[in-house]
Amino acid sequence: MIKLIKNELIKIFHKKTIYVMLIIMFAFILLNIIITKVSFKNTNYTLYTPEYIEMLKSELEDLDYKDSTQVDQYISLKTELDKIELQNKYDKNSWQFYIIGNVLQSYIYDLNVYEYNPNNRDSINKEDLLNEYQMILEYLEKGDWRFFANKQLENAKEELSSLENQKKLFNSQQIDLEIEKLKAEIYTLNKRLENDIPYGNDYLNNAISEYTNSYNTLLDINYNQDSFGYYDSFEEDSEYNKKLRLNNITENIALSKYIIETKQDIMSTDNLRNELMNSYDNYELLIIVLIVIISGSIVSEEFNKGTIKLLLVRPYSREKILLAKFITIILIILFAIISLQIMQFVLGIIILGTQSLNIPVVVYNFNINSIQTMSLIKYMFINTLAKLPLYILVSTIAFFVSTMFSNTSIGITIALLGYMSSVIINTLISIAYSKNIKFLKYFITMHWDFTEYMFGNLPTYSFVNLPLSIIMCILYFLFMIIITFILFKRKEIKNI
Amino acid sequence: MGKTILKCQNLCKKIGKKQILKNVSFEIEEGDILGFIGPNGAGKTTTIKLILGLQKINSGDVIINGFDIKKNFAKAIENVGAIVENPDLYMYLTGYQNLILMKNIYKNVDKNRIDEVIKLVGLENRINDKVSKYSLGMRQRLGIAQAILHKPNILILDEPTNGLDPEGIKDIRELLKKLANNEKMAILISSHNLAELENFCNKICIIKNGCIVEENNITEIKKSNKLISSYIFEVDSAESINKTLEEKNEIIDNTHIRIYVDKADIPNVIKNIFNNNLLVYTIKEDELSLEDAFLKRTGGNIID
């Protein structure tokens, strides 16, 4: 048996096909990694081009602030220009840039209102305003971002205590919601100070804003303030979609919280770690084409070229010969996966470097409802395991169809079509399902990708689940394999 | 009588509604070279495929070395070497790689045996070339090499000389003779050309429209047809002799005539010719070829 498998492998590795596919794979990976490297290096653009500023200035000149219809527009334009002028002193990713845009802008606006719109002057105390403005500029110069964080924290705490006082007077959901939101803000501000996270435009600040947004949305949902308006189109599914969305939000909150607390950049995409985590998203088609070509030709080509006679007049039963061929296919699938990852690894180390590999992979596990960290290798292993059923089934389709028709191209075409159109097929099935045609949910494309279920995730469609998918995959697999064996056993070697 | 190696008993095969084989039976014993002769479409290849288990047998038995091919395929086929139809080899591999593949299948074959076989079929110089670059004759020889690699005691060859030039046919014939002598193999060789096998086989089996019409030893067949002997006379005028002779005769051309007489009567014939003032230059015994013998036996052209 092992001898037969060895022979099959000798045959495959003496054909050009496999090498052509490996070269294509190599070229794709190289291109992708180079693009990753280059595209993230090019981020040094300036946000405001001189042309843009010139345009704003000329626009401003055309406006007359003495005209009461134009004064509002004049003020906002002038504010924008003043802001840009200040911001251009600092790097676009600096915390100063952020503060000018988010805090100082309102002071500039008020000052401009005072300056150009005398009618509104009463509401503004110019002395205080200028003092505060100057103070902020000073802190900006000094580089003390903590001042702003502390101030924000102070404000939030004040607001919180006033809300809590209000709550004593009359209880309302709205107040509870506001209190919860403020608590979240206070939490992020405390973390910012504790973990030394200046304002700015990096992954930590992204995580903070992601956390705030997701947490607020979650609160809105819990307090029934959130509308699911746009999910109404599939009436039956909207309950499930709510669940999906809730899962997504929970995951976002947990992951961004993890980033804020550990300061580990687990979301970055411009490194080797991300490349390896997403092997299958990027290169799955290449693996599929490679294994389908081989499994679609391993039997039928021998029939077409007549070499099957060489094999069948040997002291092995036909079942053994076919089994050897199928085991060879499994080995080739593993070979394809391993060579893909080795290529990614080698090219990635050369081009992107190794520094990202130490960062653990962090996922939200819905089975235990908490964050789970694991090494990159373990994640890749789990990911591969979840993808294997898909690859084995697609190869089995090619194997089955090509043996049935003794035709290599039909087998390859059907397997590839099935794989590539599975998204469309699944959409059609879900539409049919909503129209009460329910048996289609047993179609194989619904079930073969187990990455849907990784770490307790809910699948895209409500009517499938993990046990069903496991059973369906096994049934489809057994069906095709048994038929293939029966056909092969009974096949007559026709006269040419 | 040696021991029986291959025995076919009442093989029947139907494909669709067409009866391809009807009660085909024959036997091959140790040391036999059986010529399996029949026109195209008579069922030669089908018979061979049934023997090798490549097609299903409708009824009848194939026993190889005491094992039934239907019940005990692996044991029965173990000592068989075969080429069916064309020598279909892996074209993208070299000759040597092809043989390595076959070597891997059997336990008792090593690399020395490969070298030995390569020498035997005379492919030493080209064995490391890709098979796609081989001529048909070389492919045929490599096909024989892979068939005999595991030292089978019976070699089954389906039209091994098909498509070869006379030189190539001669080479293959020499090779097979060598194999029969050196490796002590029984050989079943099919062909549509009887003359080609005449001097080479010791047994002949003729198949026509799926039926065996003749199975015998060559010498017996020839003998059985030689009841009346004939001689070819070279004379000055065949026509005049035809008029004067009482014996049964047949004009071949102006100067040649076939006369059906026993050896003992030749002097009388010569005397008779001499008396009529006609001349005889040569007399030659007309040997009956295998083909002629069968033409007579089957009463028709077996070479379609």
Side-chain angles (χ1 to χ4, degrees):
Chain A
M1 191 69 187
I2 291 165
K3 292 172 186 169
L4 289 176
I5 296 170
K6 192 175 145 199
N7 273 1
E8 292 301 328
L9 288 173
I10 291 177
K11 283 184 242 168
I12 289 169
F13 283 100
H14 276 100
K15 275 189 220 165
K16 289 189 193 105
T17 330
I18 196 161
Y19 297 104
V20 172
M21 286 310 302
L22 287 177
I23 289 169
I24 293 175
M25 198 183 260
F26 184 87
F28 262 80
I29 295 170
L30 185 64
L31 196 70
N32 198 26
I33 290 181
I34 288 175
I35 288 172
T36 307
K37 173 111 176 159
V38 172
S39 66
F40 280 91
K41 252 192 166 177
N42 262 352
T43 48
N44 253 341
Y45 61 95
T46 47
L47 206 55
Y48 306 113
T49 60
E51 290 82 16
Y52 177 69
I53 297 170
E54 277 310 309
M55 194 192 77
L56 288 183
K57 275 184 181 166
S58 68
E59 238 176 275
L60 189 67
E61 273 167 26
D62 293 342
L63 292 168
D64 182 9
Y65 61 86
K66 282 168 188 147
D67 182 346
S68 65
T69 56
Q70 291 179 4
V71 67
D72 285 344
Q73 207 187 340
Y74 184 90
I75 289 170
S76 55
L77 211 55
K78 181 81 171 76
T79 308
E80 180 73 10
L81 266 170
D82 291 347
K83 185 196 83 176
I84 291 171
E85 202 183 321
L86 266 175
Q87 279 184 325
N88 272 347
K89 284 194 208 159
Y90 302 97
D91 182 76
K92 115 177 172 16
N93 286 324
S94 64
W95 66 266
Q96 285 96 339
F97 193 97
Y98 173 86
I99 291 292
I100 293 167
N102 286 276
V103 181
L104 201 58
Q105 192 170 13
S106 65
Y107 289 91
I108 301 171
Y109 183 81
D110 285 350
L111 282 172
N112 281 330
V113 169
Y114 187 86
E115 192 77 27
Y116 300 106
N117 194 352
N119 301 337
N120 282 354
R121 216 174 261 182
D122 306 342
S123 58
I124 298 164
N125 184 342
K126 197 190 173 189
E127 286 289 303
D128 290 356
L129 197 63
L130 263 179
N131 279 342
E132 274 186 60
Y133 178 73
Q134 289 302 335
M135 190 177 66
I136 290 172
L137 280 186
E138 242 170 69
Y139 278 107
L140 282 178
E141 291 286 331
K142 264 200 273 178
D144 186 2
W145 61 268
R146 284 175 177 275
F147 166 78
F148 297 98
N150 279 320
K151 205 170 167 212
Q152 222 184 326
L153 187 61
E154 236 170 68
N155 289 343
K157 277 179 177 164
E158 252 171 51
E159 213 177 317
L160 182 66
S161 62
S162 84
L163 277 174
E164 270 165 354
N165 286 333
Q166 270 187 49
K167 201 184 160 189
K168 281 172 198 157
L169 297 175
F170 64 100
N171 217 339
S172 106
Q173 272 211 337
Q174 189 60 40
I175 294 176
D176 288 344
L177 176 60
E178 292 303 322
I179 288 174
E180 290 295 324
K181 282 187 178 175
L182 272 173
K183 278 183 182 164
E185 196 189 339
I186 291 168
Y187 163 78
T188 56
L189 285 166
N190 276 328
K191 281 292 163 196
R192 185 186 281 284
L193 288 163
E194 215 174 279
N195 287 345
D196 199 25
I197 308 170
Y199 297 97
N201 188 24
D202 58 357
Y203 71 94
L204 290 164
N205 283 284
N206 288 343
I208 288 175
S209 63
E210 180 66 43
Y211 176 83
T212 315
N213 288 340
S214 299
Y215 196 81
N216 286 347
T217 317
L218 182 68
L219 289 173
D220 285 341
I221 293 169
N222 287 345
Y223 284 90
N224 289 322
Q225 299 277 321
D226 188 65
S227 68
F228 278 97
Y230 58 95
Y231 284 110
D232 285 346
S233 48
F234 290 108
E235 202 56 51
E236 270 170 67
D237 258 7
S238 75
E239 210 36 56
Y240 187 73
N241 279 323
K242 267 186 205 170
K243 238 201 245 169
L244 276 181
R245 189 166 169 227
L246 208 60
N247 268 1
N248 190 19
I249 291 168
T250 318
E251 187 180 7
N252 278 344
I253 292 173
L255 289 179
S256 37
K257 195 171 170 184
Y258 180 88
I259 299 174
I260 297 167
E261 289 189 348
T262 61
K263 293 182 82 174
Q264 262 176 336
D265 190 5
I266 55 170
M267 295 294 195
S268 65
T269 53
D270 58 339
N271 53 33
L272 176 56
R273 172 177 168 277
N274 183 66
E275 173 83 13
L276 287 169
M277 278 174 69
N278 295 311
S279 297
Y280 300 116
D281 298 340
N282 294 336
Y283 311 111
E284 186 162 88
L285 186 63
L286 296 172
I287 295 182
I288 293 276
V289 171
L290 174 72
I291 61 181
V292 160
I293 287 177
I294 285 170
S295 36
S297 61
I298 196 164
V299 173
S300 53
E301 196 184 81
E302 298 229 31
F303 271 100
N304 294 336
K305 300 235 162 109
T307 48
I308 193 74
K309 286 174 285 184
L310 284 177
L311 267 180
L312 293 185
V313 298
R314 306 293 159 186
Y316 289 95
S317 66
R318 290 197 183 186
E319 289 91 339
K320 270 190 188 164
I321 291 170
L322 194 67
L323 186 62
K325 284 183 180 287
F326 189 73
I327 292 173
T328 309
I329 291 176
I330 305 281
L331 293 178
I332 289 294
I333 293 176
L334 295 179
F335 169 80
I337 290 172
I338 291 169
S339 21
L340 169 77
Q341 287 176 346
I342 287 178
M343 281 186 216
Q344 278 187 299
F345 204 74
V346 172
L347 287 174
I349 283 180
I350 294 170
I351 298 171
L352 297 172
T354 56
Q355 61 276 11
S356 62
L357 297 178
N358 301 326
I359 305 170
V361 175
V362 183
V363 293
Y364 188 81
N365 191 326
F366 290 97
N367 291 327
I368 52 174
N369 275 320
S370 83
I371 284 283
Q372 195 185 348
T373 59
M374 64 188 82
S375 67
L376 179 58
I377 298 288
K378 189 180 172 195
Y379 179 83
M380 283 163 71
F381 182 72
I382 294 174
N383 205 7
T384 305
L385 273 189
K387 278 290 181 188
L388 265 184
L390 167 63
Y391 300 156
I392 292 176
L393 277 165
V394 173
S395 317
T396 311
I397 292 176
F399 185 62
F400 165 64
V401 176
S402 66
T403 309
M404 184 155 75
F405 296 108
S406 285
N407 187 319
T408 311
S409 32
I410 291 180
I412 293 175
T413 313
I414 288 185
L416 278 184
L417 266 184
Y419 167 73
M420 291 197 286
S421 54
S422 60
V423 174
I424 300 167
I425 293 172
N426 288 352
T427 313
L428 292 177
I429 291 173
S430 77
I431 292 169
Y433 191 84
S434 68
K435 301 263 187 291
N436 259 333
I437 309 168
K438 303 210 164 172
F439 69 94
L440 283 174
K441 76 169 180 175
Y442 299 113
F443 197 68
I444 185 65
T445 52
M446 275 284 168
H447 301 286
W448 60 16
D449 190 354
F450 284 88
T451 49
E452 290 248 311
Y453 301 108
M454 274 213 295
F455 309 114
N457 252 317
L458 283 176
T460 320
Y461 298 103
S462 59
F463 44 86
V464 295
N465 54 57
L466 184 58
L468 179 70
S469 288
I470 292 175
I471 292 169
M472 290 323 291
C473 283
I474 292 174
L475 285 182
Y476 273 92
F477 175 76
L478 286 181
F479 172 79
M480 289 192 287
I481 282 293
I482 289 171
I483 300 272
T484 313
F485 270 83
I486 292 173
L487 285 175
F488 189 75
K489 174 85 184 162
R490 296 211 175 148
K491 201 141 197 151
E492 304 242 312
I493 312 302
K494 299 251 160 55
N495 296 356
I496 297 168
Chain B
M1 281 282 132
K3 80 170 200 243
T4 305
I5 290 175
L6 169 69
K7 196 168 171 185
C8 297
Q9 286 171 322
N10 299 320
L11 287 181
C12 290
K13 175 73 183 169
K14 238 181 183 176
I15 295 179
K17 279 181 182 169
K18 209 180 153 207
Q19 186 84 33
I20 306 285
L21 295 179
K22 276 166 264 171
N23 293 321
V24 169
S25 305
F26 58 86
E27 268 185 43
I28 297 179
E29 285 161 4
E30 219 168 27
D32 273 351
I33 301 179
L34 177 87
F36 192 51
I37 318 287
N40 294 332
K44 298 187 300 285
T45 300
T46 305
T47 309
I48 286 174
K49 284 186 173 169
L50 292 190
I51 293 171
L52 294 171
L54 292 177
Q55 290 189 3
K56 243 177 93 188
I57 299 170
N58 289 143
S59 72
D61 291 306
V62 172
I63 313 286
I64 307 174
N65 292 315
F67 297 104
D68 189 327
I69 197 84
K70 284 189 289 190
K71 291 174 194 142
N72 202 343
F73 174 80
K75 279 271 183 227
I77 208 78
E78 200 163 17
N79 280 310
V80 180
I83 307 179
V84 186
E85 290 165 278
N86 310 310
D88 296 306
L89 298 146
Y90 297 102
M91 299 295 234
Y92 51 88
L93 299 178
T94 66
Y96 196 76
Q97 285 163 343
N98 264 289
L99 293 179
I100 288 281
L101 286 185
M102 297 309 146
K103 179 206 86 136
N104 288 342
I105 290 178
Y106 296 98
K107 284 190 199 93
N108 55 351
V109 181
D110 56 16
K111 289 205 172 171
N112 293 335
R113 173 65 182 166
I114 295 185
D115 296 335
E116 195 182 314
V117 167
I118 293 170
K119 225 175 183 177
L120 202 64
V121 298
L123 274 176
E124 296 100 319
N125 296 330
R126 297 289 303 276
I127 198 66
N128 287 318
D129 287 0
K130 285 229 164 90
V131 177
S132 52
K133 291 180 186 159
Y134 280 17
S135 68
L136 186 58
M138 284 158 69
R139 258 178 242 171
Q140 205 63 260
R141 277 188 277 169
L142 184 62
I144 292 173
Q146 64 81 19
I148 61 171
L149 197 64
H150 55 294
K151 296 189 176 171
N153 62 7
I154 176 162
L155 186 58
I156 299 178
L157 305 171
D158 188 14
E159 312 228 8
T161 53
N162 215 357
L164 294 182
D165 55 15
E167 185 85 6
I169 293 175
K170 206 183 135 215
D171 282 353
I172 294 289
R173 212 156 40 194
E174 294 302 315
L175 175 59
L176 291 180
K177 263 185 198 165
K178 212 155 61 175
L179 286 178
N181 291 335
N182 297 356
E183 312 252 325
K184 302 269 176 280
M185 284 176 199
I187 299 178
L188 166 66
I189 177 167
S190 84
S191 177
H192 59 259
N193 192 345
L194 204 134
E196 204 177 273
L197 298 179
E198 186 174 326
N199 300 318
F200 167 62
C201 300
N202 67 337
K203 258 188 178 177
I204 285 289
C205 182
I206 296 197
I207 186 167
K208 206 178 168 190
N209 293 327
C211 298
I212 301 285
V213 290
E214 182 72 55
E215 193 205 350
N216 226 324
N217 279 342
I218 289 202
T219 42
E220 278 172 34
I221 295 170
K222 279 192 177 172
K223 229 195 283 168
S224 68
N225 280 283
K226 264 198 171 170
L227 298 171
I228 313 156
S229 55
S230 65
Y231 294 85
I232 293 173
F233 286 64
E234 191 188 355
V235 293
D236 57 348
S237 165
E239 243 178 85
S240 322
I241 290 176
N242 176 268
K243 280 172 196 158
T244 57
L245 276 184
E246 292 157 12
E247 287 86 359
K248 194 178 165 211
N249 63 61
E250 190 184 324
I251 297 171
I252 297 169
D253 59 33
N254 276 343
T255 53
H256 290 86
I257 185 164
R258 183 183 286 121
I259 304 175
Y260 297 91
V261 287
D262 287 336
K263 206 174 182 176
D265 289 331
I266 291 179
N268 290 334
V269 175
I270 296 174
K271 209 182 271 171
N272 195 352
I273 295 171
F274 186 74
N275 289 341
N276 284 300
N277 286 328
L278 295 165
L279 299 173
V280 176
Y281 301 107
T282 62
I283 302 171
K284 204 174 92 194
E285 190 180 3
D286 187 11
E287 275 191 63
L288 194 68
S289 72
L290 199 56
E291 203 168 318
D292 295 329
F294 280 115
L295 284 178
K296 281 186 183 159
R297 281 290 272 264
T298 57
N301 191 358
I302 58 165
I303 304 146
D304 275 2

